[in-house]
Amino acid sequence: MGGDDLGSDDEYLKSTEVGEGTVDVEDASSDEDNDEQQLVRGTNNKRKLHHDTAPQVEGKTKKKSKKDKRGGLLRQQFKDIREASPDSKAEILSQYADTKFLPQHVIRPQNKATVKGAQQQINSNNFMERLLCMISKKQLKKTGPHTRTSPRAIILCLSARRCVAVLKDLAPLRLRIAKLFPKQGTIEEQGRQLETNEFGIAVGTPHRVKELMERGSLSLKDTLLFGLDTFENDKSFSVYTLPDTTTHTQELLKNHVQPQCAISRKKENDLKVGFV
C-alpha cells in the first residue's frame, strides 16, 4: 500500500514541475516563490505519508512474527512427543493447558514384549496399532449402559478429513465408533446418539467434542483414554498446535480432562491422556 501512495505523491510533484513550464514571464519571480513553497509542501507530505504508513507495515510484521514464533515454539515443544517419558509429557501438558498434570495421568504403553517392540508399535504408521499399544481391544469392547455418553476412548483430531482417515484405520476393530465432527449430523443428533448407544471409541474434532461435553451429552466418567492424535498436516501442524484447534484443545484439557484425571478411582479405570 505504501508503494502506491508514494507513487501518487511523485505524480503530484511531477505535475508541479509541469506547471512551471506554463508560468507567464511577468510573474516569474513571484511564481518561483510559489513553486518553492509547493515543493516544500510536497516533500513534507511525502515525509508525513512515510511516517504514517511505516508503523502499520512494521506492526503487521511484528504481529505475524509473534504468531509464527508462538506456533514454532509449540511445534518444537511437542516434537517427538510419542517417545517422551511420562514425566516430560506431564510437564508439557501442564504448561500447554495451564493446569497440573502428573506423570500418572499419562498413559504408558501396554506392549508386554521387548522395549524395541514397544517402540516400533508406538511409532507405527498405522493409527490402530498405536492405539492398541495404549488400550487393549478387550478394554474397548467392554461397554454397557455405564459407557453411554462416555466411550472407552475419545480421540481428538485436527480436522474432519483426518477423522475420516482415522476411522478407516480403526475399521478392522469392528467396534461401534461415534463420529463427533461436522458433516456427520448436527450436534443435537450426535448428542442423542451418545445418550442412547454404547460406543467403544469416539473420534472427533476439538470444538465439537467440547460443545458436546458442555451440553452434558459427552462425559469422561467411564473413559479410559483421552487420545491426542499426533498426525501433522502439510504445514507440520497437529491438533494441539494448529491455531484453529489449539484453544479448544487447551480448554478441554484444562476444564474437563485434568479434573477427571485427578479423581481417584481404581487404578485400571483411571482416565489417562495419550499421544496416539
Side-chain angles (χ1 to χ4, degrees):
M1 183 176 77
D4 293 340
D5 290 340
L6 290 175
S8 300
D9 208 40
D10 289 337
E11 290 173 7
Y12 167 75
L13 292 175
K14 286 178 182 179
S15 66
T16 305
E17 293 172 1
V18 172
E20 290 178 10
T22 62
V23 174
D24 293 334
V25 175
E26 294 178 353
D27 300 324
S29 61
S30 60
D31 284 345
E32 281 181 82
D33 294 334
N34 291 334
D35 291 341
E36 184 176 354
Q37 292 175 5
Q38 289 177 349
L39 285 170
V40 170
R41 284 198 298 270
T43 304
N44 289 338
N45 288 338
K46 190 172 182 179
R47 288 176 179 171
K48 183 179 179 182
L49 181 63
H50 176 73
H51 177 74
D52 291 341
T53 57
Q56 295 177 5
V57 175
E58 183 181 354
K60 288 181 181 179
T61 304
K62 285 184 178 179
K63 187 176 180 180
K64 184 178 179 181
S65 63
K66 185 177 181 181
K67 185 178 179 180
D68 290 344
K69 184 178 180 182
R70 183 175 180 273
L73 286 174
L74 276 177
R75 286 195 292 257
Q76 185 62 33
Q77 191 178 36
F78 283 98
K79 186 179 180 181
D80 300 325
I81 189 68
R82 289 203 302 250
E83 300 177 11
S85 67
D87 287 5
S88 297
K89 290 176 181 175
E91 183 178 353
I92 291 170
L93 285 169
S94 297
Q95 293 175 356
Y96 176 75
D98 190 26
T99 186
K100 184 64 176 177
F101 279 96
L102 302 175
Q104 57 264 37
H105 297 157
V106 178
I107 203 158
R108 298 171 185 269
Q110 293 186 352
N111 193 308
K112 297 180 180 180
T114 63
V115 175
K116 184 178 180 180
Q119 197 71 17
Q120 288 176 344
Q121 193 169 350
I122 290 172
N123 292 319
S124 171
N125 291 327
N126 185 276
F127 187 89
M128 184 185 70
E129 291 181 2
R130 298 201 302 270
L131 179 66
L132 293 179
C133 185
M134 300 178 183
I135 184 170
S136 69
K137 189 174 180 179
K138 182 179 179 180
Q139 287 175 307
L140 291 171
K141 283 187 172 183
K142 195 175 181 181
T143 60
H146 62 288
T147 60
R148 287 177 185 171
T149 74
S150 184
R152 305 301 274 170
I154 298 175
I155 309 299
L156 226 56
C157 302
L158 84 166
S159 67
R161 180 177 294 182
R162 174 56 186 168
C163 286
V164 172
V166 167
L167 288 169
K168 288 181 179 179
D169 274 359
L170 297 178
L173 289 176
R174 298 183 180 279
L175 294 172
R176 177 173 284 182
I177 301 176
K179 303 169 185 177
L180 309 181
F181 51 93
K183 297 183 180 180
Q184 288 295 323
T186 65
I187 190 168
E188 291 80 11
E189 290 171 341
Q190 292 173 358
R192 286 194 294 270
Q193 289 175 0
L194 288 166
E195 292 164 7
T196 57
N197 294 283
E198 302 156 8
F199 294 97
I201 304 173
V203 177
T205 50
H207 187 232
R208 181 56 59 92
V209 168
K210 184 169 78 75
E211 282 188 321
L212 287 165
M213 285 191 180
E214 290 172 349
R215 286 168 172 257
S217 300
L218 179 65
S219 75
L220 298 167
K221 60 183 178 64
D222 286 293
T223 301
L224 301 178
L225 171 66
F226 188 83
L228 297 170
D229 182 19
T230 55
F231 168 81
E232 293 183 350
N233 64 12
D234 294 339
K235 295 183 179 180
S236 299
F237 282 114
S238 62
V239 67
Y240 34 82
T241 60
L242 184 71
D244 291 343
T245 58
T246 294
T247 301
H248 300 307
T249 303
Q250 289 171 326
E251 291 175 355
L252 278 168
L253 288 168
K254 182 176 183 177
N255 300 330
H256 299 279
V257 179
Q258 194 278 338
Q260 186 64 38
C261 286
I263 296 176
S264 179
R265 301 184 294 181
K266 290 183 179 180
K267 188 175 180 181
E268 63 274 13
N269 293 326
D270 286 349
L271 173 68
K272 297 187 186 298
V273 182
F275 290 90
V276 188

